Amino acid sequence: QVQLVESGGGLVQAGGSLRLSCAASGRTFSSYDMGWFRQAPGKEREFVARISWSGGIIYYAGSVKGRFTISRDNAKNTVDLQMNSLKPEDTAVYYCAAGSGGSPYQRITAYNYWGQGTQVTVSS
């Protein structure tokens, strides 16, 4: 069982950067694939990035590829999302998630545990 807590959200101007962190509690953190999702007002929660348990397999949504970087430190039980060149359309609540990979990584059904989210607002 894993509990997740996100931090690092805030208000930034377009073109700026933020680094989100997800702190996990539980002995099985390193056994899970980790993902970041986001949800904007009036929209469905959408996939942002995913990293395998070993850190060797990484996927990004096309809208963030080249701007965002996901990483994990299993020794510290953390997964981060470095966000550069932020755009107003990146504004959303960002969620950290843990899953075993039983479903396609782009779908929320692939993840078993979720954090409460952290707000990211990008102004123009």
Side-chain angles (χ1 to χ4, degrees), residues 33-112:
D33 295 335
M34 301 297 297
W36 284 96
F37 285 72
R38 66 187 183 186
Q39 187 166 22
K43 295 186 177 181
E44 296 293 315
R45 192 169 299 185
E46 67 174 356
F47 169 78
V48 175
R50 175 258 193 176
I51 186 168
S52 65
W53 67 270
S54 66
I57 304 174
I58 296 174
Y59 296 98
Y60 296 99
S63 59
V64 307
K65 194 172 186 178
R67 299 188 297 121
F68 291 9
T69 302
I70 188 172
S71 62
R72 69 188 298 165
D73 187 336
N74 290 341
K76 298 176 65 176
N77 287 355
T78 58
V79 58
D80 292 350
L81 185 69
Q82 178 66 48
M83 305 185 296
N84 298 327
S85 301
L86 284 163
K87 305 174 181 180
E89 51 262 45
D90 295 319
T91 295
V93 176
Y94 283 70
Y95 297 89
C96 178
S100 58
S103 298
Y105 61 84
Q106 303 95 330
R107 301 299 302 162
I108 62 172
T109 53
Y111 301 88
N112 306 109

